[in-house]
């Protein structure tokens, strides 16, 4: 079992989603992806039901790393994981997600 004070120092992602748009499943899927990839480096992922229509915002320790309206829609999993990785551990490999596409 890990030390609770160690977990408290790890970065936390917060995903705020629009409840009127039914984006809970999208937010939950993204949180699962982040927790699977960064399970040792994140202190948690929090889902927050947003009350403002169309809200979909992802923050890392309070810093906005994705905002649906600002960034043009929703991040694909590669972009989201890259942004999180670049903040918490830039040297970490994302495996096949780091490979360049062949253009096919």
């Amino acid at each position: 079992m890990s030390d609770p004070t160690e977990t408290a120092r790890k970065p936390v992602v917060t995903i705020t989603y629009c409840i009127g748009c039914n984006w809970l499943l999208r937010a939950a899927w993204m949180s699962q992806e982040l927790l699977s990839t960064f399970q040792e480096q994140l202190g948690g992922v929090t889902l927050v039901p947003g009350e403002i229509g169309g809200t979909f915002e992802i923050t890392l320790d309070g810093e906005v790393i994705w905002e649906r309206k600002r960034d043009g829609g929703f991040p694909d999993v590669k972009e989201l994981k890259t942004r999180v990785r670049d903040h918490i551990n830039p040297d970490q490999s994302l495996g096949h997600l780091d490979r360049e596409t062949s253009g096919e």
Side-chain angles (χ1 to χ4, degrees), residues 31-62:
S31 67
Q32 175 192 347
E33 287 291 325
L34 292 175
L35 289 169
S36 294
T37 300
F38 303 106
Q39 56 189 311
E40 297 293 323
Q41 292 121 334
L42 287 178
V45 176
T46 302
L47 300 180
V48 178
E51 296 183 15
I52 298 173
T55 298
F56 198 88
E57 181 179 270
I58 302 170
T59 62
L60 180 60
D61 281 345

PDB file of all heavy atoms in Angstrom, residues 31-62:
ATOM      1  N   SER A  31     -10.507   9.771 -18.445  1.00  0.00           N
ATOM      2  CA  SER A  31      -9.883   9.577 -17.134  1.00  0.00           C
ATOM      3  C   SER A  31      -9.302   8.168 -17.027  1.00  0.00           C
ATOM      4  O   SER A  31      -8.212   7.976 -16.486  1.00  0.00           O
ATOM      5  CB  SER A  31     -10.872   9.855 -16.006  1.00  0.00           C
ATOM      6  OG  SER A  31     -11.895   8.906 -15.969  1.00  0.00           O
ATOM      7  N   GLN A  32     -10.010   7.182 -17.554  1.00  0.00           N
ATOM      8  CA  GLN A  32      -9.500   5.813 -17.550  1.00  0.00           C
ATOM      9  C   GLN A  32      -8.196   5.712 -18.336  1.00  0.00           C
ATOM     10  O   GLN A  32      -7.238   5.072 -17.899  1.00  0.00           O
ATOM     11  CB  GLN A  32     -10.534   4.863 -18.146  1.00  0.00           C
ATOM     12  CG  GLN A  32     -10.032   3.448 -18.292  1.00  0.00           C
ATOM     13  CD  GLN A  32     -10.948   2.590 -19.153  1.00  0.00           C
ATOM     14  OE1 GLN A  32     -12.072   2.961 -19.450  1.00  0.00           O
ATOM     15  NE2 GLN A  32     -10.452   1.448 -19.556  1.00  0.00           N
ATOM     16  N   GLU A  33      -8.152   6.334 -19.492  1.00  0.00           N
ATOM     17  CA  GLU A  33      -6.942   6.320 -20.317  1.00  0.00           C
ATOM     18  C   GLU A  33      -5.763   6.942 -19.577  1.00  0.00           C
ATOM     19  O   GLU A  33      -4.653   6.410 -19.590  1.00  0.00           O
ATOM     20  CB  GLU A  33      -7.186   7.057 -21.641  1.00  0.00           C
ATOM     21  CG  GLU A  33      -8.061   6.301 -22.618  1.00  0.00           C
ATOM     22  CD  GLU A  33      -7.377   5.066 -23.188  1.00  0.00           C
ATOM     23  OE1 GLU A  33      -6.141   5.084 -23.400  1.00  0.00           O
ATOM     24  OE2 GLU A  33      -8.072   4.072 -23.428  1.00  0.00           O
ATOM     25  N   LEU A  34      -6.011   8.073 -18.920  1.00  0.00           N
ATOM     26  CA  LEU A  34      -4.937   8.741 -18.183  1.00  0.00           C
ATOM     27  C   LEU A  34      -4.472   7.909 -17.001  1.00  0.00           C
ATOM     28  O   LEU A  34      -3.264   7.777 -16.762  1.00  0.00           O
ATOM     29  CB  LEU A  34      -5.398  10.126 -17.715  1.00  0.00           C
ATOM     30  CG  LEU A  34      -5.622  11.153 -18.818  1.00  0.00           C
ATOM     31  CD1 LEU A  34      -6.202  12.433 -18.239  1.00  0.00           C
ATOM     32  CD2 LEU A  34      -4.324  11.426 -19.583  1.00  0.00           C
ATOM     33  N   LEU A  35      -5.414   7.350 -16.258  1.00  0.00           N
ATOM     34  CA  LEU A  35      -5.034   6.539 -15.099  1.00  0.00           C
ATOM     35  C   LEU A  35      -4.308   5.261 -15.516  1.00  0.00           C
ATOM     36  O   LEU A  35      -3.417   4.792 -14.813  1.00  0.00           O
ATOM     37  CB  LEU A  35      -6.264   6.206 -14.257  1.00  0.00           C
ATOM     38  CG  LEU A  35      -6.844   7.391 -13.484  1.00  0.00           C
ATOM     39  CD1 LEU A  35      -8.204   7.023 -12.898  1.00  0.00           C
ATOM     40  CD2 LEU A  35      -5.892   7.865 -12.398  1.00  0.00           C
ATOM     41  N   SER A  36      -4.661   4.698 -16.650  1.00  0.00           N
ATOM     42  CA  SER A  36      -3.975   3.490 -17.133  1.00  0.00           C
ATOM     43  C   SER A  36      -2.542   3.796 -17.543  1.00  0.00           C
ATOM     44  O   SER A  36      -1.627   3.039 -17.264  1.00  0.00           O
ATOM     45  CB  SER A  36      -4.724   2.894 -18.328  1.00  0.00           C
ATOM     46  OG  SER A  36      -5.980   2.418 -17.935  1.00  0.00           O
ATOM     47  N   THR A  37      -2.355   4.929 -18.197  1.00  0.00           N
ATOM     48  CA  THR A  37      -1.025   5.292 -18.701  1.00  0.00           C
ATOM     49  C   THR A  37      -0.126   5.853 -17.608  1.00  0.00           C
ATOM     50  O   THR A  37       1.061   5.557 -17.558  1.00  0.00           O
ATOM     51  CB  THR A  37      -1.156   6.322 -19.842  1.00  0.00           C
ATOM     52  OG1 THR A  37      -1.922   5.730 -20.889  1.00  0.00           O
ATOM     53  CG2 THR A  37       0.207   6.730 -20.373  1.00  0.00           C
ATOM     54  N   PHE A  38      -0.685   6.678 -16.724  1.00  0.00           N
ATOM     55  CA  PHE A  38       0.118   7.390 -15.725  1.00  0.00           C
ATOM     56  C   PHE A  38      -0.207   6.941 -14.303  1.00  0.00           C
ATOM     57  O   PHE A  38      -0.170   7.745 -13.368  1.00  0.00           O
ATOM     58  CB  PHE A  38      -0.119   8.902 -15.868  1.00  0.00           C
ATOM     59  CG  PHE A  38       0.196   9.434 -17.229  1.00  0.00           C
ATOM     60  CD1 PHE A  38      -0.832   9.792 -18.090  1.00  0.00           C
ATOM     61  CD2 PHE A  38       1.503   9.580 -17.661  1.00  0.00           C
ATOM     62  CE1 PHE A  38      -0.558  10.293 -19.360  1.00  0.00           C
ATOM     63  CE2 PHE A  38       1.790  10.069 -18.923  1.00  0.00           C
ATOM     64  CZ  PHE A  38       0.755  10.427 -19.781  1.00  0.00           C
ATOM     65  N   GLN A  39      -0.503   5.665 -14.123  1.00  0.00           N
ATOM     66  CA  GLN A  39      -0.963   5.176 -12.824  1.00  0.00           C
ATOM     67  C   GLN A  39       0.025   5.424 -11.692  1.00  0.00           C
ATOM     68  O   GLN A  39      -0.389   5.627 -10.554  1.00  0.00           O
ATOM     69  CB  GLN A  39      -1.355   3.712 -12.908  1.00  0.00           C
ATOM     70  CG  GLN A  39      -0.275   2.789 -13.419  1.00  0.00           C
ATOM     71  CD  GLN A  39      -0.818   1.415 -13.673  1.00  0.00           C
ATOM     72  OE1 GLN A  39      -1.498   0.856 -12.827  1.00  0.00           O
ATOM     73  NE2 GLN A  39      -0.534   0.856 -14.826  1.00  0.00           N
ATOM     74  N   GLU A  40       1.299   5.441 -11.960  1.00  0.00           N
ATOM     75  CA  GLU A  40       2.300   5.682 -10.914  1.00  0.00           C
ATOM     76  C   GLU A  40       2.582   7.171 -10.719  1.00  0.00           C
ATOM     77  O   GLU A  40       3.125   7.558  -9.689  1.00  0.00           O
ATOM     78  CB  GLU A  40       3.613   4.969 -11.263  1.00  0.00           C
ATOM     79  CG  GLU A  40       3.488   3.468 -11.320  1.00  0.00           C
ATOM     80  CD  GLU A  40       3.206   2.854  -9.958  1.00  0.00           C
ATOM     81  OE1 GLU A  40       3.752   3.338  -8.960  1.00  0.00           O
ATOM     82  OE2 GLU A  40       2.428   1.881  -9.896  1.00  0.00           O
ATOM     83  N   GLN A  41       2.223   8.014 -11.697  1.00  0.00           N
ATOM     84  CA  GLN A  41       2.607   9.427 -11.642  1.00  0.00           C
ATOM     85  C   GLN A  41       1.481  10.378 -11.262  1.00  0.00           C
ATOM     86  O   GLN A  41       1.738  11.510 -10.893  1.00  0.00           O
ATOM     87  CB  GLN A  41       3.175   9.871 -12.996  1.00  0.00           C
ATOM     88  CG  GLN A  41       4.499   9.220 -13.289  1.00  0.00           C
ATOM     89  CD  GLN A  41       4.453   8.407 -14.561  1.00  0.00           C
ATOM     90  OE1 GLN A  41       3.411   7.930 -14.962  1.00  0.00           O
ATOM     91  NE2 GLN A  41       5.589   8.252 -15.187  1.00  0.00           N
ATOM     92  N   LEU A  42       0.236   9.947 -11.373  1.00  0.00           N
ATOM     93  CA  LEU A  42      -0.886  10.835 -11.051  1.00  0.00           C
ATOM     94  C   LEU A  42      -1.430  10.546  -9.658  1.00  0.00           C
ATOM     95  O   LEU A  42      -1.518   9.394  -9.237  1.00  0.00           O
ATOM     96  CB  LEU A  42      -2.021  10.659 -12.062  1.00  0.00           C
ATOM     97  CG  LEU A  42      -1.799  11.227 -13.458  1.00  0.00           C
ATOM     98  CD1 LEU A  42      -2.991  10.916 -14.347  1.00  0.00           C
ATOM     99  CD2 LEU A  42      -1.549  12.726 -13.411  1.00  0.00           C
ATOM    100  N   GLY A  43      -1.838  11.610  -8.985  1.00  0.00           N
ATOM    101  CA  GLY A  43      -2.489  11.473  -7.701  1.00  0.00           C
ATOM    102  C   GLY A  43      -3.962  11.181  -7.839  1.00  0.00           C
ATOM    103  O   GLY A  43      -4.623  10.777  -6.895  1.00  0.00           O
ATOM    104  N   GLY A  44      -4.499  11.374  -9.034  1.00  0.00           N
ATOM    105  CA  GLY A  44      -5.900  11.085  -9.296  1.00  0.00           C
ATOM    106  C   GLY A  44      -6.429  11.866 -10.476  1.00  0.00           C
ATOM    107  O   GLY A  44      -5.778  12.771 -10.992  1.00  0.00           O
ATOM    108  N   VAL A  45      -7.608  11.469 -10.904  1.00  0.00           N
ATOM    109  CA  VAL A  45      -8.359  12.193 -11.926  1.00  0.00           C
ATOM    110  C   VAL A  45      -9.743  12.429 -11.345  1.00  0.00           C
ATOM    111  O   VAL A  45     -10.406  11.490 -10.903  1.00  0.00           O
ATOM    112  CB  VAL A  45      -8.453  11.413 -13.256  1.00  0.00           C
ATOM    113  CG1 VAL A  45      -9.319  12.159 -14.260  1.00  0.00           C
ATOM    114  CG2 VAL A  45      -7.069  11.153 -13.843  1.00  0.00           C
ATOM    115  N   THR A  46     -10.158  13.680 -11.336  1.00  0.00           N
ATOM    116  CA  THR A  46     -11.449  14.051 -10.777  1.00  0.00           C
ATOM    117  C   THR A  46     -12.387  14.462 -11.904  1.00  0.00           C
ATOM    118  O   THR A  46     -12.000  15.242 -12.773  1.00  0.00           O
ATOM    119  CB  THR A  46     -11.287  15.236  -9.796  1.00  0.00           C
ATOM    120  OG1 THR A  46     -10.365  14.853  -8.778  1.00  0.00           O
ATOM    121  CG2 THR A  46     -12.607  15.620  -9.170  1.00  0.00           C
ATOM    122  N   LEU A  47     -13.608  13.934 -11.878  1.00  0.00           N
ATOM    123  CA  LEU A  47     -14.640  14.330 -12.842  1.00  0.00           C
ATOM    124  C   LEU A  47     -15.571  15.318 -12.153  1.00  0.00           C
ATOM    125  O   LEU A  47     -16.061  15.050 -11.062  1.00  0.00           O
ATOM    126  CB  LEU A  47     -15.422  13.112 -13.315  1.00  0.00           C
ATOM    127  CG  LEU A  47     -14.608  12.013 -14.005  1.00  0.00           C
ATOM    128  CD1 LEU A  47     -15.527  10.874 -14.422  1.00  0.00           C
ATOM    129  CD2 LEU A  47     -13.860  12.558 -15.199  1.00  0.00           C
ATOM    130  N   VAL A  48     -15.804  16.457 -12.820  1.00  0.00           N
ATOM    131  CA  VAL A  48     -16.630  17.515 -12.248  1.00  0.00           C
ATOM    132  C   VAL A  48     -17.763  17.830 -13.213  1.00  0.00           C
ATOM    133  O   VAL A  48     -17.518  18.257 -14.344  1.00  0.00           O
ATOM    134  CB  VAL A  48     -15.797  18.790 -11.986  1.00  0.00           C
ATOM    135  CG1 VAL A  48     -16.681  19.903 -11.440  1.00  0.00           C
ATOM    136  CG2 VAL A  48     -14.640  18.496 -11.053  1.00  0.00           C
ATOM    137  N   PRO A  49     -19.016  17.638 -12.784  1.00  0.00           N
ATOM    138  CA  PRO A  49     -20.145  18.003 -13.641  1.00  0.00           C
ATOM    139  C   PRO A  49     -20.201  19.525 -13.780  1.00  0.00           C
ATOM    140  O   PRO A  49     -20.271  20.234 -12.780  1.00  0.00           O
ATOM    141  CB  PRO A  49     -21.373  17.483 -12.887  1.00  0.00           C
ATOM    142  CG  PRO A  49     -20.864  16.710 -11.718  1.00  0.00           C
ATOM    143  CD  PRO A  49     -19.435  17.039 -11.532  1.00  0.00           C
ATOM    144  N   GLY A  50     -20.129  20.000 -15.024  1.00  0.00           N
ATOM    145  CA  GLY A  50     -20.172  21.436 -15.283  1.00  0.00           C
ATOM    146  C   GLY A  50     -21.584  21.917 -15.521  1.00  0.00           C
ATOM    147  O   GLY A  50     -22.409  21.201 -16.075  1.00  0.00           O
ATOM    148  N   GLU A  51     -21.845  23.128 -15.082  1.00  0.00           N
ATOM    149  CA  GLU A  51     -23.182  23.692 -15.226  1.00  0.00           C
ATOM    150  C   GLU A  51     -23.300  24.636 -16.416  1.00  0.00           C
ATOM    151  O   GLU A  51     -24.395  25.014 -16.788  1.00  0.00           O
ATOM    152  CB  GLU A  51     -23.578  24.394 -13.933  1.00  0.00           C
ATOM    153  CG  GLU A  51     -23.672  23.409 -12.775  1.00  0.00           C
ATOM    154  CD  GLU A  51     -24.137  24.054 -11.485  1.00  0.00           C
ATOM    155  OE1 GLU A  51     -24.654  25.181 -11.533  1.00  0.00           O
ATOM    156  OE2 GLU A  51     -23.978  23.425 -10.438  1.00  0.00           O
ATOM    157  N   ILE A  52     -22.182  25.026 -17.012  1.00  0.00           N
ATOM    158  CA  ILE A  52     -22.210  25.920 -18.163  1.00  0.00           C
ATOM    159  C   ILE A  52     -22.278  25.067 -19.423  1.00  0.00           C
ATOM    160  O   ILE A  52     -21.467  24.167 -19.622  1.00  0.00           O
ATOM    161  CB  ILE A  52     -20.961  26.823 -18.192  1.00  0.00           C
ATOM    162  CG1 ILE A  52     -20.933  27.696 -16.946  1.00  0.00           C
ATOM    163  CG2 ILE A  52     -20.935  27.663 -19.452  1.00  0.00           C
ATOM    164  CD1 ILE A  52     -19.671  28.505 -16.776  1.00  0.00           C
ATOM    165  N   GLY A  53     -23.268  25.340 -20.272  1.00  0.00           N
ATOM    166  CA  GLY A  53     -23.461  24.549 -21.480  1.00  0.00           C
ATOM    167  C   GLY A  53     -22.222  24.481 -22.354  1.00  0.00           C
ATOM    168  O   GLY A  53     -21.563  25.479 -22.605  1.00  0.00           O
ATOM    169  N   GLY A  54     -21.891  23.288 -22.791  1.00  0.00           N
ATOM    170  CA  GLY A  54     -20.780  23.080 -23.713  1.00  0.00           C
ATOM    171  C   GLY A  54     -19.416  23.002 -23.057  1.00  0.00           C
ATOM    172  O   GLY A  54     -18.402  22.924 -23.747  1.00  0.00           O
ATOM    173  N   THR A  55     -19.360  22.996 -21.747  1.00  0.00           N
ATOM    174  CA  THR A  55     -18.075  22.963 -21.043  1.00  0.00           C
ATOM    175  C   THR A  55     -17.404  21.602 -21.181  1.00  0.00           C
ATOM    176  O   THR A  55     -18.021  20.565 -20.944  1.00  0.00           O
ATOM    177  CB  THR A  55     -18.268  23.255 -19.539  1.00  0.00           C
ATOM    178  OG1 THR A  55     -18.808  24.550 -19.391  1.00  0.00           O
ATOM    179  CG2 THR A  55     -16.965  23.150 -18.778  1.00  0.00           C
ATOM    180  N   PHE A  56     -16.146  21.616 -21.577  1.00  0.00           N
ATOM    181  CA  PHE A  56     -15.294  20.436 -21.500  1.00  0.00           C
ATOM    182  C   PHE A  56     -13.876  20.952 -21.338  1.00  0.00           C
ATOM    183  O   PHE A  56     -13.256  21.427 -22.293  1.00  0.00           O
ATOM    184  CB  PHE A  56     -15.402  19.537 -22.739  1.00  0.00           C
ATOM    185  CG  PHE A  56     -14.869  18.156 -22.468  1.00  0.00           C
ATOM    186  CD1 PHE A  56     -15.697  17.171 -21.953  1.00  0.00           C
ATOM    187  CD2 PHE A  56     -13.540  17.856 -22.692  1.00  0.00           C
ATOM    188  CE1 PHE A  56     -15.204  15.898 -21.669  1.00  0.00           C
ATOM    189  CE2 PHE A  56     -13.041  16.597 -22.416  1.00  0.00           C
ATOM    190  CZ  PHE A  56     -13.877  15.609 -21.910  1.00  0.00           C
ATOM    191  N   GLU A  57     -13.403  20.892 -20.102  1.00  0.00           N
ATOM    192  CA  GLU A  57     -12.109  21.477 -19.766  1.00  0.00           C
ATOM    193  C   GLU A  57     -11.301  20.478 -18.954  1.00  0.00           C
ATOM    194  O   GLU A  57     -11.818  19.828 -18.056  1.00  0.00           O
ATOM    195  CB  GLU A  57     -12.325  22.745 -18.951  1.00  0.00           C
ATOM    196  CG  GLU A  57     -11.046  23.447 -18.554  1.00  0.00           C
ATOM    197  CD  GLU A  57     -11.324  24.711 -17.769  1.00  0.00           C
ATOM    198  OE1 GLU A  57     -11.465  25.768 -18.400  1.00  0.00           O
ATOM    199  OE2 GLU A  57     -11.420  24.613 -16.517  1.00  0.00           O
ATOM    200  N   ILE A  58     -10.030  20.377 -19.303  1.00  0.00           N
ATOM    201  CA  ILE A  58      -9.129  19.480 -18.592  1.00  0.00           C
ATOM    202  C   ILE A  58      -8.008  20.317 -17.995  1.00  0.00           C
ATOM    203  O   ILE A  58      -7.352  21.080 -18.707  1.00  0.00           O
ATOM    204  CB  ILE A  58      -8.555  18.405 -19.533  1.00  0.00           C
ATOM    205  CG1 ILE A  58      -9.702  17.608 -20.180  1.00  0.00           C
ATOM    206  CG2 ILE A  58      -7.598  17.477 -18.780  1.00  0.00           C
ATOM    207  CD1 ILE A  58      -9.267  16.695 -21.299  1.00  0.00           C
ATOM    208  N   THR A  59      -7.833  20.170 -16.678  1.00  0.00           N
ATOM    209  CA  THR A  59      -6.759  20.891 -16.003  1.00  0.00           C
ATOM    210  C   THR A  59      -5.810  19.896 -15.344  1.00  0.00           C
ATOM    211  O   THR A  59      -6.207  18.789 -14.990  1.00  0.00           O
ATOM    212  CB  THR A  59      -7.291  21.864 -14.930  1.00  0.00           C
ATOM    213  OG1 THR A  59      -7.985  21.132 -13.928  1.00  0.00           O
ATOM    214  CG2 THR A  59      -8.213  22.912 -15.533  1.00  0.00           C
ATOM    215  N   LEU A  60      -4.577  20.325 -15.197  1.00  0.00           N
ATOM    216  CA  LEU A  60      -3.560  19.549 -14.500  1.00  0.00           C
ATOM    217  C   LEU A  60      -2.999  20.453 -13.416  1.00  0.00           C
ATOM    218  O   LEU A  60      -2.384  21.477 -13.719  1.00  0.00           O
ATOM    219  CB  LEU A  60      -2.467  19.108 -15.463  1.00  0.00           C
ATOM    220  CG  LEU A  60      -1.320  18.284 -14.894  1.00  0.00           C
ATOM    221  CD1 LEU A  60      -1.826  16.990 -14.279  1.00  0.00           C
ATOM    222  CD2 LEU A  60      -0.285  17.994 -15.957  1.00  0.00           C
ATOM    223  N   ASP A  61      -3.287  20.117 -12.175  1.00  0.00           N
ATOM    224  CA  ASP A  61      -2.917  20.952 -11.023  1.00  0.00           C
ATOM    225  C   ASP A  61      -3.361  22.401 -11.220  1.00  0.00           C
ATOM    226  O   ASP A  61      -2.623  23.340 -10.953  1.00  0.00           O
ATOM    227  CB  ASP A  61      -1.415  20.876 -10.752  1.00  0.00           C
ATOM    228  CG  ASP A  61      -1.031  19.605 -10.026  1.00  0.00           C
ATOM    229  OD1 ASP A  61      -1.928  18.916  -9.482  1.00  0.00           O
ATOM    230  OD2 ASP A  61       0.173  19.292  -9.988  1.00  0.00           O
ATOM    231  N   GLY A  62      -4.577  22.577 -11.734  1.00  0.00           N
ATOM    232  CA  GLY A  62      -5.163  23.899 -11.888  1.00  0.00           C
ATOM    233  C   GLY A  62      -4.833  24.610 -13.181  1.00  0.00           C
ATOM    234  O   GLY A  62      -5.448  25.626 -13.507  1.00  0.00           O
TER     235      GLY A  62
END
